[in-house]
Coordinates of all heavy atoms in Angstrom, one line a residue:
M18 N 109.0 114.9 84.8 CA 108.6 114.4 86.1 C 109.1 112.9 86.1 O 109.0 112.2 85.2 CB 107.1 114.4 86.2 CG 106.5 115.7 86.7 SD 104.8 115.6 87.1 CE 104.1 116.2 85.6
P19 N 109.6 112.5 87.3 CA 110.0 111.1 87.5 C 108.8 110.2 87.4 O 107.7 110.5 87.9 CB 110.6 111.1 88.8 CG 110.0 112.3 89.6 CD 109.8 113.3 88.5
E20 N 109.0 109.0 86.8 CA 107.9 108.0 86.8 C 108.1 107.0 87.9 O 109.2 106.5 88.1 CB 107.9 107.3 85.4 CG 106.7 106.3 85.3 CD 106.8 105.5 84.1 OE1 106.2 106.0 83.0 OE2 107.4 104.4 84.1
I21 N 107.0 106.8 88.6 CA 107.0 105.8 89.7 C 106.0 104.8 89.4 O 104.8 105.1 89.1 CB 106.8 106.5 91.1 CG1 107.8 107.5 91.4 CG2 106.7 105.4 92.2 CD1 107.6 108.3 92.7
Q22 N 106.4 103.5 89.5 CA 105.4 102.4 89.3 C 104.8 102.0 90.6 O 105.6 101.8 91.6 CB 106.1 101.2 88.7 CG 106.6 101.4 87.3 CD 107.2 100.1 86.7 OE1 107.0 99.0 87.3 NE2 107.8 100.2 85.6
F23 N 103.5 101.8 90.7 CA 102.9 101.3 91.8 C 102.3 99.9 91.5 O 101.5 99.7 90.5 CB 101.7 102.2 92.3 CG 102.2 103.5 92.8 CD1 102.5 104.6 91.9 CD2 102.5 103.7 94.1 CE1 103.0 105.8 92.4 CE2 103.0 104.9 94.6 CZ 103.2 106.0 93.8
L24 N 102.7 98.9 92.2 CA 102.4 97.5 92.0 C 101.4 97.1 93.0 O 101.5 97.4 94.2 CB 103.6 96.6 92.1 CG 104.9 97.1 91.4 CD1 106.1 96.2 91.7 CD2 104.7 97.2 89.9
Q25 N 100.4 96.3 92.6 CA 99.3 95.8 93.5 C 99.4 94.3 93.6 O 100.0 93.6 92.7 CB 97.9 96.2 92.9 CG 97.7 97.6 92.7 CD 97.5 98.4 93.9 OE1 97.1 97.9 95.0 NE2 97.8 99.7 93.9
A26 N 98.9 93.7 94.6 CA 98.9 92.3 94.8 C 98.2 91.5 93.7 O 98.6 90.4 93.3 CB 98.3 91.9 96.1
D27 N 97.2 92.2 93.0 CA 96.5 91.5 92.0 C 97.2 91.6 90.6 O 96.6 91.2 89.6 CB 95.0 92.0 91.9 CG 95.0 93.5 91.5 OD1 96.0 94.1 91.3 OD2 93.8 94.0 91.4
G28 N 98.4 92.2 90.6 CA 99.1 92.4 89.3 C 98.9 93.7 88.6 O 99.6 94.0 87.7
R29 N 98.0 94.5 89.1 CA 97.8 95.8 88.5 C 99.1 96.7 88.7 O 99.7 96.6 89.7 CB 96.6 96.6 89.2 CG 96.5 98.0 88.7 CD 95.2 98.6 89.3 NE 95.2 100.1 89.1 CZ 94.1 100.8 89.1 NH1 92.9 100.3 89.3 NH2 94.2 102.1 88.9
V30 N 99.4 97.4 87.7 CA 100.6 98.3 87.7 C 100.1 99.7 87.2 O 99.5 99.8 86.2 CB 101.7 97.8 86.8 CG1 102.9 98.8 86.8 CG2 102.2 96.4 87.2
D31 N 100.3 100.7 88.1 CA 100.0 102.1 87.7 C 101.4 102.8 87.5 O 102.2 102.8 88.4 CB 99.2 102.8 88.8 CG 97.8 102.3 88.8 OD1 97.0 102.7 88.0 OD2 97.5 101.4 89.7
R32 N 101.6 103.4 86.4 CA 102.8 104.2 86.1 C 102.4 105.7 86.3 O 101.5 106.2 85.5 CB 103.3 103.9 84.8 CG 103.9 102.5 84.6 CD 104.5 102.2 83.3 NE 105.2 101.0 83.3 CZ 104.6 99.8 83.2 NH1 103.3 99.7 83.1 NH2 105.3 98.7 83.2
V33 N 103.0 106.3 87.3 CA 102.5 107.7 87.6 C 103.7 108.7 87.4 O 104.8 108.4 87.8 CB 102.1 107.7 89.1 CG1 101.8 109.2 89.5 CG2 100.9 106.8 89.3
D34 N 103.4 109.7 86.7 CA 104.3 110.9 86.6 C 104.2 111.7 87.8 O 103.2 112.4 88.0 CB 104.0 111.7 85.3 CG 104.4 111.0 84.0 OD1 105.3 110.2 84.0 OD2 103.6 111.1 83.0
A35 N 105.1 111.5 88.7 CA 105.0 112.1 90.1 C 105.6 113.5 90.1 O 106.8 113.6 89.8 CB 105.7 111.2 91.1
P36 N 104.9 114.5 90.5 CA 105.4 115.8 90.6 C 106.5 115.9 91.7 O 106.4 115.4 92.8 CB 104.2 116.7 91.1 CG 103.0 115.9 90.8 CD 103.4 114.4 90.9
V37 N 107.6 116.5 91.4 CA 108.7 116.7 92.3 C 108.2 117.6 93.5 O 107.5 118.6 93.2 CB 110.0 117.3 91.6 CG1 111.0 117.7 92.6 CG2 110.5 116.3 90.6
G38 N 108.6 117.2 94.7 CA 108.3 118.1 95.8 C 107.0 117.6 96.6 O 106.7 118.2 97.6
V39 N 106.2 116.7 96.0 CA 105.1 116.2 96.7 C 105.4 114.8 97.3 O 106.4 114.2 96.9 CB 103.8 116.1 95.9 CG1 103.5 117.4 95.2 CG2 103.9 115.0 94.9
S40 N 104.6 114.4 98.2 CA 104.9 113.0 98.8 C 104.5 112.0 97.8 O 103.7 112.2 96.9 CB 104.1 112.8 100.1 OG 102.7 112.8 99.9
I41 N 105.1 110.8 98.0 CA 104.7 109.7 97.1 C 103.2 109.4 97.3 O 102.5 109.0 96.4 CB 105.6 108.4 97.5 CG1 107.0 108.7 97.0 CG2 105.0 107.1 96.9 CD1 108.0 107.6 97.3
M42 N 102.8 109.5 98.5 CA 101.3 109.3 98.8 C 100.5 110.2 98.0 O 99.5 109.8 97.3 CB 101.1 109.5 100.3 CG 99.6 109.4 100.7 SD 98.7 110.9 100.5 CE 99.1 111.8 102.0
K43 N 100.8 111.5 98.0 CA 100.0 112.5 97.2 C 100.1 112.2 95.7 O 99.1 112.4 95.0 CB 100.4 113.9 97.6 CG 99.9 114.3 99.0 CD 99.8 115.8 99.1 CE 99.0 116.0 100.4 NZ 99.3 117.3 101.0
A44 N 101.2 111.8 95.3 CA 101.3 111.5 93.8 C 100.5 110.3 93.5 O 99.8 110.3 92.4 CB 102.8 111.2 93.5
A45 N 100.4 109.3 94.4 CA 99.6 108.1 94.1 C 98.1 108.4 94.2 O 97.4 108.1 93.3 CB 100.0 107.0 95.1
V46 N 97.7 109.1 95.2 CA 96.3 109.4 95.4 C 95.8 110.3 94.3 O 94.8 110.1 93.7 CB 96.1 110.1 96.8 CG1 94.7 110.6 96.9 CG2 96.3 109.1 97.9
G47 N 96.6 111.3 93.9 CA 96.3 112.2 92.8 C 96.1 111.5 91.5 O 95.3 111.9 90.6
A48 N 96.8 110.4 91.3 CA 96.7 109.6 90.1 C 95.7 108.5 90.2 O 95.5 107.7 89.2 CB 98.1 109.1 89.7
G49 N 95.0 108.4 91.3 CA 94.0 107.3 91.4 C 94.5 105.9 91.7 O 93.8 104.9 91.4
V50 N 95.7 105.8 92.2 CA 96.3 104.5 92.6 C 95.5 104.0 93.7 O 95.3 104.6 94.8 CB 97.7 104.6 92.9 CG1 98.3 103.3 93.5 CG2 98.6 105.1 91.8
P51 N 94.9 102.7 93.6 CA 94.1 102.2 94.7 C 95.0 101.7 95.9 O 96.2 101.4 95.7 CB 93.4 101.0 94.1 CG 94.2 100.6 92.9 CD 94.9 101.9 92.4
G52 N 94.4 101.6 97.0 CA 95.1 100.9 98.1 C 95.9 101.8 99.1 O 96.5 101.4 100.1
I53 N 95.9 103.1 98.8 CA 96.6 104.1 99.7 C 95.5 105.0 100.2 O 95.1 106.0 99.6 CB 97.7 104.9 98.9 CG1 98.8 103.9 98.4 CG2 98.3 105.9 99.9 CD1 99.9 104.5 97.7
L54 N 95.1 104.7 101.4 CA 93.9 105.4 102.0 C 94.3 106.8 102.6 O 93.6 107.7 102.5 CB 93.3 104.6 103.1 CG 92.7 103.2 102.6 CD1 92.0 102.5 103.8 CD2 91.8 103.3 101.4
A55 N 95.5 106.8 103.2 CA 96.0 108.1 103.7 C 95.0 108.8 104.6 O 94.7 110.0 104.4 CB 96.5 109.0 102.6
E56 N 94.5 108.1 105.6 CA 93.4 108.6 106.4 C 93.8 109.9 107.2 O 92.9 110.7 107.5 CB 92.9 107.5 107.3 CG 92.1 106.4 106.6 CD 91.7 105.3 107.5 OE1 92.1 105.2 108.6 OE2 90.8 104.5 107.0
C57 N 95.0 110.0 107.6 CA 95.4 111.2 108.4 C 95.8 112.3 107.5 O 96.2 113.4 108.0 CB 96.5 110.8 109.4 SG 98.1 110.6 108.7
G58 N 95.8 112.2 106.2 CA 96.2 113.3 105.3 C 97.6 113.5 105.2 O 98.0 114.6 104.7
G59 N 98.5 112.6 105.7 CA 99.9 112.8 105.5 C 100.6 113.3 106.7 O 101.7 113.8 106.7
Q60 N 100.0 113.0 107.9 CA 100.6 113.5 109.2 C 101.4 112.4 109.9 O 101.7 112.6 111.1 CB 99.5 114.0 110.1 CG 98.7 115.2 109.5 CD 99.6 116.4 109.1 OE1 100.3 116.9 109.9 NE2 99.5 116.8 107.9
A61 N 101.6 111.3 109.3 CA 102.3 110.2 110.0 C 101.6 109.7 111.2 O 102.2 109.4 112.2 CB 103.8 110.5 110.3
M62 N 100.3 109.6 111.1 CA 99.5 109.3 112.2 C 98.5 108.1 112.0 O 97.6 107.9 112.8 CB 98.7 110.5 112.7 CG 99.6 111.6 113.3 SD 98.7 113.0 113.8 CE 97.7 112.4 115.1
C63 N 98.6 107.4 110.8 CA 97.6 106.4 110.5 C 98.2 105.1 110.0 O 97.7 104.0 110.1 CB 96.5 106.9 109.6 SG 97.0 107.1 107.9
A64 N 99.3 105.2 109.2 CA 99.9 104.1 108.6 C 99.1 103.4 107.4 O 99.4 102.4 106.9 CB 100.3 103.0 109.6
T65 N 98.0 104.1 107.0 CA 97.2 103.6 105.9 C 97.9 103.9 104.5 O 97.3 103.7 103.5 CB 95.8 104.0 105.9 OG1 95.7 105.5 105.9 CG2 95.1 103.6 107.2
C66 N 99.0 104.5 104.6 CA 99.8 104.8 103.4 C 101.0 103.9 103.3 O 101.9 104.2 102.5 CB 100.1 106.3 103.3 SG 101.4 106.8 104.6
H67 N 101.1 102.9 104.1 CA 102.2 102.0 104.1 C 102.5 101.4 102.7 O 101.5 100.8 102.1 CB 101.9 100.9 105.1 CG 103.0 99.8 105.2 ND1 102.7 98.5 105.5 CD2 104.3 99.9 105.1 CE1 103.8 97.8 105.6 NE2 104.8 98.6 105.3
V68 N 103.7 101.4 102.3 CA 104.1 100.8 101.0 C 105.5 100.1 101.2 O 106.1 100.3 102.3 CB 104.2 101.8 99.9 CG1 102.9 102.4 99.6 CG2 105.3 102.9 100.2
H69 N 105.8 99.3 100.3 CA 107.2 98.7 100.2 C 107.9 99.3 99.0 O 107.4 99.2 97.9 CB 107.1 97.2 100.2 CG 106.5 96.6 101.4 ND1 107.2 96.3 102.5 CD2 105.2 96.2 101.6 CE1 106.4 95.8 103.4 NE2 105.2 95.7 102.9
I70 N 109.1 99.8 99.2 CA 109.9 100.2 98.1 C 110.6 99.0 97.5 O 111.5 98.4 98.1 CB 111.0 101.3 98.6 CG1 110.3 102.4 99.4 CG2 111.8 101.8 97.4 CD1 109.3 103.3 98.6
R71 N 110.2 98.6 96.3 CA 110.7 97.4 95.7 C 112.0 97.8 95.0 O 112.9 96.9 94.9 CB 109.7 96.8 94.7 CG 108.6 96.1 95.3 CD 109.0 94.7 95.7 NE 108.0 93.9 96.4 CZ 107.0 93.3 95.9 NH1 106.8 93.4 94.6 NH2 106.2 92.6 96.7
Y72 N 112.1 99.0 94.4 CA 113.3 99.4 93.7 C 113.4 100.9 93.8 O 112.4 101.6 93.6 CB 113.3 99.0 92.2 CG 114.4 99.6 91.5 CD1 115.7 99.2 91.6 CD2 114.2 100.7 90.7 CE1 116.8 99.8 91.0 CE2 115.3 101.4 90.0 CZ 116.5 100.9 90.2 OH 117.6 101.5 89.5
T73 N 114.6 101.4 94.1 CA 114.8 102.8 94.1 C 116.2 103.0 93.4 O 117.1 102.3 93.7 CB 114.7 103.5 95.5 OG1 115.0 104.8 95.3 CG2 115.7 102.8 96.5
P74 N 116.2 104.0 92.5 CA 117.5 104.3 91.8 C 118.5 105.0 92.7 O 119.7 105.1 92.4 CB 117.1 105.1 90.6 CG 115.8 105.7 91.0 CD 115.1 104.8 91.9
V75 N 118.0 105.5 93.8 CA 118.9 106.3 94.7 C 118.6 105.9 96.2 O 117.5 105.3 96.4 CB 118.8 107.8 94.6 CG1 119.2 108.3 93.2 CG2 117.3 108.2 94.9
V76 N 119.5 106.1 97.1 CA 119.3 105.8 98.5 C 118.3 106.9 99.0 O 118.5 108.1 98.8 CB 120.6 105.9 99.3 CG1 120.3 105.7 100.8 CG2 121.6 104.9 98.8
L77 N 117.2 106.4 99.7 CA 116.2 107.3 100.2 C 116.6 107.9 101.5 O 117.5 107.3 102.2 CB 114.9 106.5 100.4 CG 114.3 106.0 99.1 CD1 113.0 105.3 99.4 CD2 114.1 107.0 98.1
P78 N 116.1 109.0 101.9 CA 116.4 109.6 103.2 C 115.9 108.5 104.3 O 115.0 107.7 104.1 CB 115.5 110.8 103.3 CG 115.2 111.2 101.9 CD 115.2 109.9 101.1
E79 N 116.6 108.6 105.4 CA 116.3 107.7 106.6 C 114.9 107.8 107.0 O 114.3 108.9 106.9 CB 117.2 108.1 107.7 CG 118.7 107.8 107.5 CD 119.1 106.3 107.6 OE1 118.6 105.7 108.5 OE2 119.8 105.9 106.7
V80 N 114.4 106.8 107.6 CA 113.1 106.8 108.2 C 113.1 107.7 109.5 O 114.0 107.5 110.3 CB 112.6 105.3 108.6 CG1 111.3 105.4 109.4 CG2 112.5 104.4 107.4
G81 N 112.2 108.6 109.5 CA 112.1 109.5 110.7 C 111.5 108.8 111.9 O 111.0 107.7 111.8
E82 N 111.7 109.5 113.0 CA 111.2 108.9 114.3 C 109.7 108.7 114.3 O 109.3 107.6 114.7 CB 111.6 109.9 115.5 CG 111.4 109.3 116.8 CD 111.9 110.2 117.9 OE1 112.9 110.9 117.7 OE2 111.3 110.3 118.9
D83 N 108.9 109.6 113.9 CA 107.5 109.4 113.8 C 107.1 108.3 112.8 O 106.2 107.5 113.1 CB 106.7 110.7 113.4 CG 106.8 111.8 114.5 OD1 107.2 111.5 115.6 OD2 106.6 113.0 114.1
E84 N 107.7 108.3 111.7 CA 107.5 107.3 110.7 C 107.8 105.9 111.3 O 107.1 105.0 111.1 CB 108.3 107.6 109.4 CG 108.1 106.6 108.3 CD 108.9 106.9 107.1 OE1 109.7 107.8 107.1 OE2 108.7 106.2 106.1
D85 N 108.9 105.9 111.9 CA 109.4 104.6 112.5 C 108.3 104.0 113.5 O 108.0 102.9 113.4 CB 110.7 104.8 113.2 CG 111.3 103.5 113.7 OD1 111.3 102.5 113.0 OD2 111.8 103.5 114.8
E86 N 107.8 104.9 114.3 CA 106.8 104.4 115.3 C 105.6 104.0 114.6 O 105.0 103.0 115.0 CB 106.5 105.6 116.3 CG 107.6 105.8 117.3 CD 107.2 106.9 118.3 OE1 106.1 107.3 118.3 OE2 108.2 107.5 118.9
M87 N 105.1 104.8 113.6 CA 103.8 104.4 113.0 C 103.9 103.2 112.1 O 103.0 102.5 111.9 CB 103.4 105.7 112.2 CG 101.9 105.6 111.8 SD 100.8 105.2 113.1 CE 101.0 106.6 114.2
L88 N 105.1 103.0 111.5 CA 105.3 101.7 110.7 C 105.0 100.5 111.5 O 104.5 99.5 111.0 CB 106.7 101.7 110.1 CG 106.9 102.5 108.8 CD1 108.3 102.6 108.5 CD2 106.0 102.0 107.7
D89 N 105.2 100.5 112.8 CA 104.9 99.4 113.7 C 103.4 99.1 113.8 O 103.0 98.1 114.3 CB 105.6 99.6 115.1 CG 107.1 99.4 115.0 OD1 107.6 98.8 114.1 OD2 107.7 100.0 115.9
C90 N 102.6 100.1 113.4 CA 101.2 100.0 113.6 C 100.5 99.6 112.2 O 99.3 99.5 112.2 CB 100.6 101.4 114.0 SG 101.2 101.9 115.6
A91 N 101.3 99.5 111.2 CA 100.7 99.1 109.9 C 100.0 97.7 110.0 O 100.5 96.9 110.7 CB 101.8 99.1 108.8
L92 N 98.9 97.6 109.2 CA 98.2 96.3 109.3 C 99.0 95.2 108.7 O 99.0 94.0 109.2 CB 96.9 96.4 108.6 CG 95.8 97.3 109.3 CD1 94.6 97.4 108.4 CD2 95.5 96.8 110.7
S93 N 99.7 95.4 107.6 CA 100.5 94.4 107.0 C 101.9 94.4 107.6 O 102.3 95.4 108.2 CB 100.6 94.6 105.5 OG 101.3 95.8 105.2
P94 N 102.6 93.3 107.6 CA 103.9 93.2 108.3 C 104.9 94.2 107.8 O 105.0 94.4 106.6 CB 104.3 91.7 108.0 CG 103.1 91.0 107.6 CD 102.2 92.0 107.0
R95 N 105.6 94.8 108.7 CA 106.7 95.7 108.4 C 107.9 94.9 107.9 O 108.1 93.8 108.3 CB 107.0 96.5 109.6 CG 108.1 97.5 109.4 CD 108.4 98.3 110.7 NE 109.4 99.3 110.4 CZ 109.8 100.2 111.3 NH1 109.2 100.3 112.4 NH2 110.8 101.1 111.0
A96 N 108.6 95.5 106.9 CA 109.8 94.9 106.4 C 110.9 96.0 106.2 O 110.6 97.2 106.4 CB 109.5 94.2 105.1
E97 N 112.0 95.5 105.8 CA 113.1 96.5 105.6 C 112.7 97.5 104.5 O 113.1 98.7 104.5 CB 114.4 95.8 105.1 CG 115.2 95.2 106.2 CD 115.9 96.2 107.0 OE1 116.5 97.1 106.5 OE2 115.7 96.1 108.3
S98 N 111.9 97.1 103.6 CA 111.4 97.9 102.5 C 110.3 98.9 102.8 O 109.9 99.7 102.0 CB 111.0 97.1 101.3 OG 110.0 96.2 101.7
S99 N 109.8 98.8 104.1 CA 108.6 99.5 104.4 C 108.9 101.0 104.6 O 109.9 101.4 105.1 CB 108.0 99.0 105.8 OG 107.5 97.8 105.7
R100 N 107.9 101.8 104.1 CA 107.9 103.3 104.3 C 106.5 103.7 104.4 O 105.6 103.1 103.8 CB 108.6 104.0 103.1 CG 110.0 103.8 102.9 CD 110.9 104.1 104.1 NE 110.9 105.5 104.5 CZ 111.9 106.3 104.2 NH1 113.0 105.9 103.6 NH2 111.8 107.6 104.7
L101 N 106.3 104.9 105.0 CA 105.0 105.6 104.9 C 105.2 106.5 103.7 O 106.0 107.4 103.7 CB 104.8 106.4 106.2 CG 104.6 105.7 107.5 CD1 104.3 106.7 108.6 CD2 103.4 104.7 107.4
S102 N 104.3 106.2 102.7 CA 104.5 107.0 101.5 C 104.2 108.5 101.6 O 104.7 109.3 100.8 CB 103.5 106.4 100.4 OG 102.2 106.4 100.8
C103 N 103.6 108.9 102.7 CA 103.4 110.3 103.0 C 104.6 111.0 103.5 O 104.7 112.2 103.5 CB 102.2 110.6 103.9 SG 102.6 110.1 105.6
Q104 N 105.6 110.2 103.9 CA 106.8 110.8 104.5 C 108.0 110.8 103.5 O 109.1 111.1 103.9 CB 107.2 110.0 105.8 CG 106.1 110.1 106.8 CD 105.8 111.6 107.3 OE1 106.7 112.3 107.7 NE2 104.6 112.0 107.1
V105 N 107.8 110.4 102.3 CA 108.9 110.4 101.3 C 108.5 111.4 100.2 O 107.5 111.2 99.6 CB 109.1 109.0 100.7 CG1 110.3 109.0 99.7 CG2 109.3 107.9 101.8
T106 N 109.3 112.4 100.1 CA 109.1 113.4 99.1 C 109.7 113.1 97.8 O 110.9 112.8 97.7 CB 109.6 114.8 99.6 OG1 108.9 115.0 100.9 CG2 109.3 115.9 98.7
V107 N 109.0 113.2 96.7 CA 109.4 112.8 95.4 C 110.6 113.8 94.9 O 110.5 115.0 95.1 CB 108.3 112.9 94.3 CG1 108.8 112.7 92.9 CG2 107.2 111.9 94.7
E108 N 111.6 113.2 94.4 CA 112.7 113.9 93.8 C 112.9 113.5 92.4 O 112.5 112.4 92.0 CB 114.0 113.7 94.6 CG 114.0 114.2 96.1 CD 115.3 114.0 96.8 OE1 116.3 113.6 96.2 OE2 115.2 114.1 98.1
A109 N 113.5 114.3 91.6 CA 113.7 114.0 90.2 C 114.5 112.7 90.0 O 114.3 111.9 89.1 CB 114.5 115.1 89.5
S110 N 115.4 112.4 90.9 CA 116.2 111.2 90.9 C 115.4 109.9 91.2 O 116.0 108.8 91.1 CB 117.4 111.3 91.8 OG 116.9 111.5 93.2
Y111 N 114.2 110.0 91.5 CA 113.4 108.8 91.8 C 112.8 108.2 90.6 O 112.0 107.2 90.6 CB 112.2 109.2 92.8 CG 112.6 109.5 94.2 CD1 114.0 109.6 94.5 CD2 111.7 109.8 95.1 CE1 114.4 109.9 95.8 CE2 112.1 110.1 96.4 CZ 113.4 110.2 96.8 OH 113.8 110.5 98.0
D112 N 113.1 108.7 89.4 CA 112.6 108.2 88.1 C 112.9 106.7 88.0 O 114.1 106.3 88.2 CB 113.2 108.9 86.9 CG 112.5 108.5 85.6 OD1 111.3 108.4 85.6 OD2 113.3 108.2 84.7
G113 N 111.9 105.9 87.8 CA 112.1 104.4 87.7 C 111.8 103.7 89.0 O 111.9 102.4 89.1
M114 N 111.5 104.4 90.1 CA 111.2 103.8 91.4 C 110.0 102.8 91.2 O 109.1 103.1 90.5 CB 110.9 104.8 92.4 CG 110.6 104.3 93.8 SD 110.2 105.6 95.0 CE 111.8 106.1 95.4
S115 N 110.0 101.7 92.0 CA 108.9 100.8 92.0 C 108.5 100.6 93.4 O 109.3 100.3 94.3 CB 109.5 99.4 91.4 OG 108.4 98.5 91.4
V116 N 107.1 100.7 93.6 CA 106.5 100.7 94.9 C 105.4 99.7 95.0 O 104.5 99.7 94.1 CB 106.0 102.1 95.3 CG1 105.2 102.1 96.6 CG2 107.1 103.2 95.2
Y117 N 105.4 98.8 96.0 CA 104.4 97.8 96.2 C 103.4 98.3 97.2 O 103.8 98.7 98.3 CB 105.0 96.5 96.6 CG 104.0 95.4 96.9 CD1 103.2 94.8 95.8 CD2 103.7 95.0 98.2 CE1 102.3 93.9 96.1 CE2 102.8 94.0 98.4 CZ 102.1 93.5 97.4 OH 101.1 92.5 97.6
V118 N 102.1 98.2 96.9 CA 101.1 98.6 97.8 C 100.5 97.3 98.4 O 99.8 96.6 97.7 CB 100.0 99.4 97.0 CG1 98.9 99.9 98.0 CG2 100.5 100.6 96.3
P119 N 100.7 97.1 99.7 CA 100.2 95.8 100.3 C 98.7 95.9 100.4 O 98.1 96.8 101.0 CB 100.9 95.8 101.6 CG 101.3 97.2 101.9 CD 101.5 97.9 100.6
A120 N 98.0 94.8 100.0 CA 96.6 94.7 100.0 C 96.1 94.7 101.5 O 94.9 95.1 101.8 CB 96.1 93.5 99.3
E121 N 96.9 94.2 102.4 CA 96.5 94.0 103.8 C 96.2 95.3 104.5 O 95.5 95.3 105.5 CB 97.5 93.2 104.6 CG 97.8 91.9 104.0 CD 98.9 91.9 103.0 OE1 99.2 93.0 102.4 OE2 99.5 90.8 102.7
D122 N 96.6 96.4 103.9 CA 96.5 97.7 104.6 C 95.1 98.4 104.2 O 94.8 99.5 104.6 CB 97.6 98.6 104.3 CG 98.9 98.2 105.1 OD1 98.7 97.6 106.1 OD2 100.0 98.6 104.6
L123 N 94.3 97.7 103.4 CA 93.1 98.3 103.0 C 92.0 98.2 104.1 O 92.1 97.3 104.9 CB 92.5 97.6 101.7 CG 93.4 97.8 100.4 CD1 92.8 97.0 99.3 CD2 93.4 99.3 100.1
Ligands
FES13 S1 98.8 109.3 105.4 FE1 98.6 108.7 107.5 S2 100.6 108.0 108.0 FE2 100.7 108.5 105.9

């Protein structure tokens, strides 16, 4: 399984063996990573799963239309690195990815 690091504002780092085929959100929530509320359950309707991709070993799929609209509703400022973690599906090639969880979205 690819390992994804989740970084928190307080310096906490969770290294998660993320199952291929699930969303980054589900991998994080399943591993007890704090800060990803995922209130809508992964339907791109809440933005409480907003994260920043700090490092990715491969180019990620483009931001979808629904994801694009909802990212504008995230509590923390949107950036080039912003993604809804429920809309990115883990692939084996994501091993080594680093994801920042913004505290402002809690
Ligand atoms: S879980 Fe609600 S937008 Fe991702």
Side-chain angles (χ1 to χ4, degrees):
M18 277 190 266
E20 183 183 272
I21 299 178
Q22 290 185 14
F23 293 89
L24 316 172
Q25 306 283 336
D27 65 1
R29 174 175 169 158
V30 178
D31 290 280
R32 292 180 172 81
V33 174
D34 291 325
V37 171
V39 307
S40 68
I41 290 176
M42 176 276 279
K43 287 204 168 155
V46 170
V50 174
I53 298 180
L54 300 184
E56 287 177 348
C57 77
Q60 301 301 307
M62 295 176 67
C63 74
T65 61
C66 67
H67 177 213
V68 297
H69 295 275
I70 306 297
R71 285 278 173 84
Y72 170 75
T73 177
V75 294
V76 177
L77 299 181
E79 293 285 317
V80 173
E82 194 174 321
D83 291 344
E84 182 181 5
D85 186 43
E86 285 179 19
M87 195 49 61
L88 279 169
D89 289 336
C90 302
L92 291 179
S93 64
R95 181 176 180 173
E97 278 293 310
S98 58
S99 289
R100 296 302 299 254
L101 294 181
S102 58
C103 70
Q104 298 300 302
V105 182
T106 303
V107 175
E108 297 181 10
S110 58
Y111 291 3
D112 187 46
M114 179 183 281
S115 182
V116 176
Y117 177 71
V118 182
E121 300 89 340
D122 286 335
L123 293 177

